[in-house]
Amino acid sequence: MSEAELRKYEAELRKCETQLLKEWAEFLQELDPDIITGYNIVNFDLPYLLNRAKALKVDLFPYLGRVRDSRTTMRDSTFDSRAYGKRVNKIISIEGRIQFDLFQILLRDTKLRSYTLNSVSYHFLGEQKEDVHHSIITDLQNGNEQTRRRLAVYCVKDAVLPIRLLDKLMCLINYMEMARVTGVPLAYVLSRGQQIKVVSQLLRKAREKDLLMPVHKSEAQEEYAGATVIEPSRGYYNIPIATLDFSSLYPSIMQAHNLCYTTLLFKSTDRERLTPDQYIRTPSGSHFVKSSVRKGLLPEILEDLLSARKKAKAELKEEKDSFRRKVLDGRQLALKLSANSVYGFTGANVGKLPCIEISQSVTSFGRQMIDQSKNLVERKYCVANGYPFDAKVIYGDTDSVMVRFGVGTVAESMELGREAAEMISATFPHPIKLEFEKVYFPYLLINKKRFDTPILPYF
Ligand code: TTP
Ligand code: MN
Ligand code: MN
């Protein structure tokens, strides 16, 4: 190609590209989608398109949203959260449409070795991308109808795979549920942390009660005692070991004792106006009014989150398909995390509304409960009470106890585990519930098991 021919060819190409961008933007407006999805669209495809449109001066391109005359803009942001780490993201304004980027969803919700579209498609769908290396794309485009067809199939497949994945992983359903329960926009569930969800729920409940949420300047806060870990009796147990674990421990403590900003008695003079049966003193020495005087906002918020979790768990129980079971389990775990974050929110060092009296009271109740559970099991199931053995709690962490009852079969251990859980639950106020979890047989106890995420604050 001569110099002149090359220039003419390039000009032609630019014209095509300009046309393509213009028509794509028009197509988008005509289709008017609520949700835009794809794989890494927020940090790659959309910025690429916006930058090309700018370079080619396609002035009508960056109007992708639903607000007329509002230009789509782009900027960098760093997102930092304890649970998800630090990330630099593009923020692109497309009003009225949600950018639901499957790549971001997978980064957030899964732990995979590779996050290429090819690899995640294979992992979840057993399907792969059309194999076209980027170095041959120009040749395929410049070739003939057949090579261009191959290119087109490659593009379509790239667009279809994310949609199939979204569907299979039930992302839309699960994210919408979280948005609905917590009252944040759908996009926040993807792009923001746990705090905003708690704030949103607090504001929602506060408004119903004609209350306002104070502005809090964040400042370093004092530390407080966390959970109990019972020293493990290390060893190899060739005998059944039953585990009992409190269901939603921290949330259920806050519900049972009506712990909230709105129920805390700050000053000792507050108590003088009340009768002793109208308030409680927590093991860490704070005072809260009972729900008969005023029901707290936090317990109400927790009720909503936990009833959604209960529903997810019930669905999980019915589901036969192993893949869908995993998805439903992820859903109930996300709701569990949100519920526990309400406690984390009150204890967060740099939070929007920390309240150490609440967080301290929660962990102090927790510690007391685990001690009480251990004592109740060991005191009841013993030779002195006519049992052929002395039960022993060989380990416990935060809200669980592992019990060696002394019986030889799994069935007996399960039976006693259930009975003990019921007996202990009955000693605590509603909705606190110790549950029989499972029996290990045999069991090797070497080290303390710790949570993946730091126990405090829980974000
Ligand atoms: P878990 O027993 O794991 O959680 P749970 O009791 O809330 O829910 P489940 O019904 O599934 O048993 O943990 C006990 C408490 O420990 C929990 O209520 C809050 C706290 N916790 C943390 O602070 N950080 C964590 O990473 C986890 C898992 C729990
Ligand atoms: Mn638990
Ligand atoms: Mn536990």
Side-chain angles (χ1 to χ4, degrees), residues 82-83 451-459:
R82 238 171 246 258
F451 296 128
D452 301 342
T453 43
I455 190 137
L456 236 190
Y458 196 148
F459 281 121

Side-chain angles (χ1 to χ4, degrees), residues 244-249 336 370 397-401 437 451:
L244 315 178
D245 184 294
F246 283 96
S247 139
S248 295
L249 178 71
K336 163 176 165 172
I370 195 95
D397 182 359
T398 310
D399 74 331
S400 63
V401 284
E437 215 173 59
F451 296 128

